[in-house]
Amino acid sequence: MAKTEKEVNEQQAPEQQAEPNTSAHSAQEDPQTDLAAVKTKLEKMEKELADAKETLLRTAAEYDNFRKRSAKEHDAAFDNGVSFSVGALLPVLDTLELAANAPTADESYKKGVMMTLTKCKEAFDKMGVCEIEAQGQPFDPALHAAVMQQPAAEDVESGTILQVMQKGYKLHDKVVRFATVVVAE
């Protein structure tokens, strides 16, 4: 039984029609699958970008903290060096003050000592070194070192500094040498 050409075409036609439907159907699924894959990849890349941004922000913050800490350490090291130098020069200043206050008949000598003392005090002022006020002030253990107590006169409050035995000095807010004082009982 031979089939006619028309019958063969009719049999093939539904098969050919089914194939385009299948390929059309799979073409519709591929873009959706591709879209889901692209969305997944996009989400992954956004997460990586957020992680990289967070890492960069942390690195920038760490660098800023390092820079500030380094500057602080540099300033502290410089101040420590100046403190050491000032501490070494304070006995010279004390000696100059003793010489300036000593009675002498030689005015040229006295004038030379006073000029030297003035230059020394000017240099200390330029460095930020100042004398700690003590005489008549209330005793402050952060600034003063009491070496003795004396009975106070009636008009003097207890804890007031009566006498300065050795001047104290500060470099900015740091005490280089405490003022050695006598305090009222």
Side-chain angles (χ1 to χ4, degrees):
M1 304 184 112
K3 291 186 181 178
T4 62
E5 197 176 297
K6 186 177 179 183
E7 288 175 351
V8 172
N9 284 341
E10 285 177 5
Q11 276 183 342
Q12 287 179 353
E15 288 174 9
Q16 288 174 354
Q17 286 178 355
E19 284 178 19
N21 284 346
T22 306
S23 62
H25 181 65
S26 66
Q28 287 176 353
E29 280 186 38
D30 284 343
Q32 288 177 355
T33 306
D34 288 345
L35 182 61
V38 168
K39 282 183 179 180
T40 304
K41 190 173 182 179
L42 178 64
E43 288 172 359
K44 180 182 174 188
M45 296 303 280
E46 285 175 344
K47 185 177 185 290
E48 287 178 10
L49 177 64
D51 290 346
K53 185 177 179 181
E54 183 179 332
T55 301
L56 287 175
L57 288 174
R58 284 186 182 181
T59 303
E62 285 176 12
Y63 175 74
D64 191 44
N65 290 338
F66 169 77
R67 186 182 51 78
K68 288 176 184 176
R69 187 175 53 251
S70 294
K72 220 182 247 185
E73 289 171 357
H74 178 270
D75 291 345
F78 180 78
D79 283 351
N80 287 339
V82 172
S83 278
F84 177 78
S85 299
V86 168
L89 290 173
L90 284 177
V92 175
L93 181 65
D94 292 339
T95 304
L96 284 172
E97 286 179 345
L98 284 172
N101 293 330
T104 183
D106 189 356
E107 287 301 316
S108 302
Y109 168 78
K110 181 128 179 140
K111 184 178 177 183
V113 169
M114 292 302 291
M115 287 173 48
T116 306
L117 183 61
T118 302
K119 291 282 186 189
C120 187
K121 286 184 178 183
E122 287 174 0
F124 278 7
D125 286 342
K126 285 180 184 176
M127 288 188 285
V129 177
C130 63
E131 185 180 328
I132 295 172
E133 292 295 322
Q135 187 68 40
Q137 300 293 318
F139 177 76
D140 181 358
L143 301 173
H144 310 119
V147 292
M148 196 164 61
Q149 281 190 324
Q150 287 182 346
E154 290 181 24
D155 60 335
V156 177
E157 219 177 287
S158 177
T160 301
I161 296 172
L162 299 175
Q163 182 183 358
V164 178
M165 311 259 316
Q166 185 178 46
K167 292 180 180 181
Y169 292 90
K170 292 190 307 183
L171 173 65
H172 306 294
D173 291 334
K174 181 181 178 182
V175 175
V176 177
R177 182 173 78 184
F178 292 90
T180 305
V181 298
V182 176
V183 181
E185 288 180 335

